[in-house]
Amino acid sequence: MGKGWCLFFLFWPVAAVVSCAMAPMVGWSFPYDNAQAASNLGIRIDGLFYLILIVTAIVFVGTQAVLVYALWRGVNNREERATHIHGNHKLELIWSIIPGVILLFLALYQMNIWADFRIKKFYPEVAVKDPIAEVTARQFEWRFRYPAIGKKLQPKPQPDDLYTVNELHVPFGRPVMIQLRSDDVQHSFFLPALRIKQDALPGLQIPVWFEANKEGVYDLVCAELCGWGHYKMKAHVIVESEEDYQNYLKNLTQQQFYDGLGKIAANENDSESEATEK
Amino acid sequence: MRFGFSRLILLLLFPLISLTGCEQPQVDFVFSKKTNELIPAAAKPVKEALVRQFGNPFELTQFEGLPTNFGDVEGTVKTVEAPSGEEKLIRLQVEGLQDAYNKLQGLPLEWTSGKGQGQISRIKEYNYETGTIAVEKTAEIDPQPGDTFLVECTRLQFGRDLYNRHCMHCHGMSGEGTGPTSRYLNPPPRDFRLGIYKYTSTKPTAKAQKADLERTVKEGIAGTYMPSFKLLTDDEVAAITNYVIWLSMRGETEKKLVDELFFDYSKEVVAERTSEDGGEKPEEIQEELKEYMELDFPDTLEFATSSVADAWEEANMEDAIVVPGTPRVPDTPESRERGRKLYLSDKTKCATCHGPQGRGNGTATQDFWTNPVTNKKYPNRGLHDIWGNQLPPRDLHRGIYRGGRRPIDVYRRMYSGIKGTPMPAFGGPLSDEELWDLVNYVMSLPYSKN
């Protein structure tokens, strides 16, 4: 049985290393484009993750190796009896200080990234000046409110605000900020491809900024178990050129103030038939 | 610590206890409460007719004459696997179904050539990968290579599968609005079986257009638990809508049939008729019912389905849609003021329900109202909708527009009213300009200081 345990404890570090090595090939790693984040901040966050992964991997593999060695020695050496000791002061100090130093290093090392992501003072100025939309999480959808073209987003709804649901368009080439709210329970604004995640809390308006490094359509999901329809709470964030974004807003304005007469852009579900019929 | 036997039992019981909360949703089309209140001899033919014409969730049926995209697909028999003596199914290799929906089990298959021409079989098994189907062996059919057939209801089945995945847990298997999660929702999910939808672009008496329902599925209904399903493709949304309308037509057909029978053959009425006061004998009633079923019921059924079908068809005609005669009156303070006066006037009586300030607290919310269906007073004060739910008039200051926030949406709410609710249609009494003034006033309320 003794050797069996040696193998058992040997198996886990080997399995961990193998699965980590295989992860990119079998699609177990980070989402989006060969595990590369779709935002520069996301790439830095991934860097942090890899650093922590490497540190923990070394510690895990190291401690397992020592454990397997000790077991193996114990199994093969029937003559030497184990002795009971009351601890080793020096050893205690070593295995407290080393992890402490590692944690302190990580804490200091990640501060810049954390600040850029979360501390308002470090937000990109262009994003803070002009939040593009208010995002309201609601069981079980995402509702968006844009300011009218040429105007700034106000905390309270304005008569000419533009509204949509489950489809957030943002311009490419500059950092953008949204004001996040929740209508009912806790939700979480999660853009896996951009590595952006922020809880939405009822009664609070929380600014979130992000900048995609590629145009495209990204999933927006809820990362807080918010009720039975939680899994359905999916939307798209569409990152497009400034020109396309402006066209989108124009189109949205036309649709929103549509009075049932005349032509409007024909990409909205039922206005197509209405527009053509006049 | 020793892990005692009693704890082991507790541990084993735990999964069992947690399972008790998992109820299976209803997996059959249900019949309405009124149908079940008929005497069995009257309820039976109604139920049979519905099963014959609409099938059940596992075996949908194509019923000609409904404005539904059933989705027929043509196929040809390639080879027939030799059936063994005991086997009850005939397995066929077919072609032509590759582009059809990949789940065809339970659908009707009509033979269009060969010995079984005109016969209908049910697909008992379908393997999309190998292109084999299995149908029940009967004396009437004898498929041979080269025989052709139609698989019916593929589109309906596609809609049904999507509906069951996305809608059923609130709206219920037959669209009766009592899915497993419905009890937690307020307002409750819509019962589709009356065929009435609140937010439409059509005239007051018309049903909803397909596009209206598609819009509701895509945009959701703000302020309710109906979420947006914008990430579904247009094709999926259209398939769901097609199925929902079909469910509505089923429910409406049932209602029309039952309404015909209810006043004479409900359990309550029959009990009255056979009581001492009524003086009729049960056999007489049975005889009368039998005669009705033989002579009039087929006509009633045909009339019920065709009138339901016609109504849905008409709603999708171009002239059913409400189009304002004039463009929106510019949203000026003067227009809003005219709207405000109209709002408070006796001509519209908006304030009676929505309150003088538009807070949804008009005097009508304090009255006991009469249920138009039963002619009895509701037990609680305030307005009710046709589904029997208490319905507070909208607080117009909240800026939540359930039927859409475009000016045309608000215009249509006023022009046609909100179907199934006490919100009346003002399309006749008010001119286009007056309606637009009201729209301007109402849409300004969320931003006013009052």
Side-chain angles (χ1 to χ4, degrees):
Chain A
M1 189 59 207
K3 282 182 184 162
W5 284 110
C6 289
L7 284 177
F8 179 78
F9 287 109
L10 186 65
F11 170 76
W12 295 109
V14 173
V17 171
V18 170
S19 61
C20 280
M22 269 169 57
M25 288 180 276
V26 287
W28 289 346
S29 56
F30 292 134
Y32 194 64
D33 210 5
N34 289 332
Q36 169 96 337
S39 73
N40 295 333
L41 186 70
I43 294 175
R44 287 167 67 198
I45 291 172
D46 288 354
L48 266 184
F49 177 88
Y50 286 125
L51 177 70
I52 294 171
L53 184 70
I54 290 166
V55 170
T56 48
I58 291 172
V59 171
F60 180 59
V61 171
T63 48
Q64 289 297 108
V66 171
L67 178 65
V68 170
Y69 168 73
L71 281 176
W72 186 255
R73 224 183 81 171
V75 167
N76 288 319
N77 188 352
R78 297 270 171 205
E79 278 144 38
E80 190 183 343
R81 279 181 65 83
T83 50
H84 186 82
I85 57 164
H86 280 283
N88 182 326
H89 195 68
K90 215 187 270 173
L91 208 57
E92 295 273 355
L93 273 177
I94 291 173
W95 69 43
S96 301
I97 288 172
I98 293 179
V101 169
I102 293 175
L103 285 178
L104 191 69
F105 163 73
L106 287 177
L108 295 173
Y109 183 80
Q110 59 85 46
M111 272 172 85
N112 273 340
I113 301 177
W114 177 253
D116 287 346
F117 185 28
R118 279 287 190 267
I119 297 181
K120 239 180 175 170
K121 212 172 85 183
F122 296 99
Y123 283 1
E125 207 181 317
V126 50
V128 176
K129 230 170 42 193
D130 198 7
I132 62 155
E134 178 187 80
V135 176
T136 306
R138 199 179 81 98
Q139 285 175 320
F140 297 99
E141 63 191 1
W142 299 91
R143 292 200 163 252
F144 309 112
R145 176 169 70 90
Y146 298 92
I149 296 173
K151 290 196 180 171
K152 290 210 162 164
L153 185 72
Q154 302 297 319
K156 283 197 170 163
Q158 302 298 308
D160 50 3
D161 281 342
L162 308 172
Y163 293 82
T164 79
V165 58
N166 279 0
E167 203 179 276
L168 178 69
H169 286 242
V170 299
F172 178 69
R174 61 176 159 114
V176 292
M177 199 168 91
I178 53 132
Q179 296 286 1
L180 183 62
R181 295 182 33 173
S182 168
D183 247 4
D184 33 45
V185 297
Q186 264 193 49
H187 299 276
S188 183
F189 180 88
F190 184 26
L191 286 171
L194 277 74
R195 319 287 191 254
I196 296 288
K197 195 191 252 178
Q198 170 62 55
D199 280 4
L201 301 160
L204 281 186
Q205 198 171 52
I206 303 169
V208 182
W209 79 272
F210 55 91
E211 183 183 8
N213 56 20
K214 253 181 241 146
E215 290 182 32
V217 179
Y218 302 102
D219 283 336
L220 163 59
V221 293
C222 177
E224 196 76 61
L225 187 60
C226 59
W228 54 259
H230 161 70
Y231 74 100
K232 283 187 184 176
M233 202 164 156
K234 272 173 84 176
H236 280 158
V237 171
I238 295 159
V239 180
E240 58 197 6
S241 68
E242 187 73 42
E243 192 192 342
D244 285 350
Y245 172 65
Q246 291 302 334
N247 283 338
Y248 171 74
L249 288 185
K250 267 182 217 151
N251 192 356
L252 200 61
T253 313
Q254 262 186 334
Q255 283 171 19
Q256 179 133 346
F257 295 97
Y258 183 52
D259 66 356
L261 295 164
K263 265 193 187 299
I264 63 165
N267 67 350
E268 210 220 345
N269 46 13
D270 67 343
S271 47
E272 191 171 7
S273 54
E274 288 169 22
T276 46
E277 118 198 18
K278 283 308 287 180
Chain B
M1 191 171 61
R2 267 187 69 225
F3 194 78
F5 183 66
S6 56
R7 288 183 194 205
L8 184 72
I9 295 285
L10 266 181
L11 193 74
L12 291 176
L13 273 178
F14 185 69
L16 215 65
I17 295 164
S18 32
L19 274 178
T20 50
C22 309
E23 62 184 295
Q24 277 296 317
Q26 177 82 34
V27 286
D28 211 347
F29 286 153
V30 294
F31 298 101
S32 72
K33 214 173 119 207
K34 250 176 137 180
T35 307
N36 290 322
E37 280 170 18
L38 292 176
I39 56 167
K44 203 173 154 229
V46 172
K47 291 180 179 180
E48 280 174 356
L50 282 171
V51 171
R52 200 167 55 242
Q53 307 207 323
F54 295 89
N56 65 50
F58 300 106
E59 298 193 335
L60 305 172
T61 297
Q62 173 150 327
F63 171 44
E64 306 284 341
L66 295 183
T68 300
N69 182 355
F70 286 101
D72 288 352
V73 183
E74 275 179 52
T76 317
V77 177
K78 231 159 76 183
T79 53
V80 183
E81 282 177 35
S84 61
E86 289 297 297
E87 184 75 67
K88 289 202 175 78
L89 299 177
I90 313 176
R91 290 200 167 70
L92 319 157
Q93 191 97 71
V94 296
E95 56 186 12
L97 302 182
Q98 299 85 343
D99 299 331
Y101 187 45
N102 58 7
K103 293 175 203 139
L104 303 179
Q105 200 173 324
L107 293 185
L109 177 151
E110 189 188 345
W111 295 99
T112 48
S113 68
K115 185 190 169 197
Q117 192 169 3
Q119 297 289 332
I120 293 197
S121 307
R122 282 270 173 200
I123 299 180
K124 296 289 177 190
E125 285 166 18
Y126 175 61
N127 187 329
Y128 178 70
E129 303 294 327
T130 57
T132 47
I133 59 175
V135 296
E136 214 159 296
K137 194 156 58 171
T138 61
E140 286 85 28
I141 61 159
D142 179 23
Q144 296 298 326
D147 282 3
T148 54
F149 57 84
L150 283 179
V151 177
E152 301 168 344
C153 301
T154 59
R155 180 74 176 164
L156 203 59
Q157 174 122 332
F158 179 47
R160 184 207 66 184
D161 288 354
L162 287 165
Y163 175 90
N164 285 358
R165 188 181 316 153
H166 299 294
C167 324
M168 186 270 283
H169 57 91
C170 292
H171 289 287
M173 198 64 152
S174 29
E176 77 281 13
T178 57
T181 41
S182 63
R183 73 182 78 160
Y184 308 111
L185 309 182
N186 181 23
R190 183 66 49 243
D191 176 354
F192 300 140
R193 295 175 305 173
L194 295 185
I196 295 172
Y197 294 86
K198 282 184 174 177
Y199 310 113
T200 71
S201 58
T202 52
K203 302 222 160 99
T205 51
K207 298 207 167 285
Q209 287 219 323
K210 276 183 199 151
D212 294 331
L213 302 184
E214 283 170 12
R215 192 176 151 81
T216 303
V217 173
K218 285 196 143 187
E219 300 295 318
I221 301 180
T224 77
Y225 279 93
M226 172 74 190
S228 152
F229 291 90
K230 210 175 221 168
L231 264 45
L232 296 180
T233 63
D234 286 350
D235 187 51
E236 288 171 326
V237 172
I240 290 178
T241 308
N242 184 46
Y243 184 68
V244 164
I245 294 177
W246 182 79
L247 284 178
S248 283
M249 290 192 284
R250 179 189 171 277
E252 285 176 88
T253 306
E254 179 184 15
K255 185 172 182 300
K256 291 207 171 191
L257 294 179
V258 175
D259 283 350
E260 279 291 309
L261 294 161
F262 200 76
F263 287 111
D264 294 322
Y265 305 109
S266 76
K267 284 175 190 158
E268 205 184 322
V269 171
V270 170
E272 230 169 75
R273 287 174 68 181
T274 51
S275 68
E276 271 180 37
D277 294 343
E280 288 182 74
K281 286 188 188 142
E283 298 79 46
E284 285 171 12
I285 295 177
Q286 294 288 355
E287 192 56 38
E288 180 192 310
L289 181 61
K290 203 176 150 205
E291 206 171 294
Y292 172 82
M293 284 300 166
E294 275 167 14
L295 295 177
D296 295 330
F297 189 70
D299 289 343
T300 311
L301 178 63
E302 202 190 311
F303 175 73
T305 41
S306 63
S307 59
V308 169
D310 287 349
W312 279 103
E313 223 154 357
E314 277 163 26
N316 282 296
M317 306 254 181
E318 237 176 55
D319 57 353
I321 200 165
V322 172
V323 180
T326 56
R328 182 182 184 184
V329 171
D331 183 16
T332 56
E334 296 75 39
S335 165
R336 291 180 187 180
E337 180 57 23
R338 288 195 299 271
R340 192 181 71 87
K341 284 192 177 134
L342 268 170
Y343 178 92
L344 294 169
S345 70
D346 266 353
K347 202 169 168 189
T348 63
K349 294 199 175 71
C350 300
T352 324
C353 295
H354 289 285
Q357 262 105 34
R359 295 275 173 199
N361 56 357
T363 51
T365 58
Q366 296 305 313
D367 295 341
F368 284 98
W369 289 74
T370 306
N371 185 338
V373 182
T374 59
N375 265 331
K376 286 181 195 147
K377 292 250 184 218
Y378 289 109
N380 34 14
R381 291 172 195 274
L383 301 149
H384 289 71
D385 63 23
I386 204 162
W387 297 273
N389 308 310
Q390 195 163 11
L391 188 75
R394 198 62 53 235
D395 177 348
L396 301 172
H397 288 261
R398 296 194 62 197
I400 295 173
Y401 299 96
R402 291 190 177 175
R405 59 182 321 128
R406 305 176 302 175
I408 182 66
D409 294 323
V410 183
Y411 176 95
R412 281 172 180 155
R413 294 300 82 74
M414 291 178 191
Y415 186 96
S416 296
I418 297 178
K419 288 156 191 174
T421 78
M423 170 76 190
F426 292 105
L430 297 186
S431 69
D432 280 330
E433 285 80 8
E434 285 176 316
L435 283 169
W436 281 125
D437 286 337
L438 258 181
V439 170
N440 288 340
Y441 172 63
V442 165
M443 290 189 80
S444 74
L445 280 176
Y447 314 103
S448 73
K449 296 213 169 63
N450 294 327

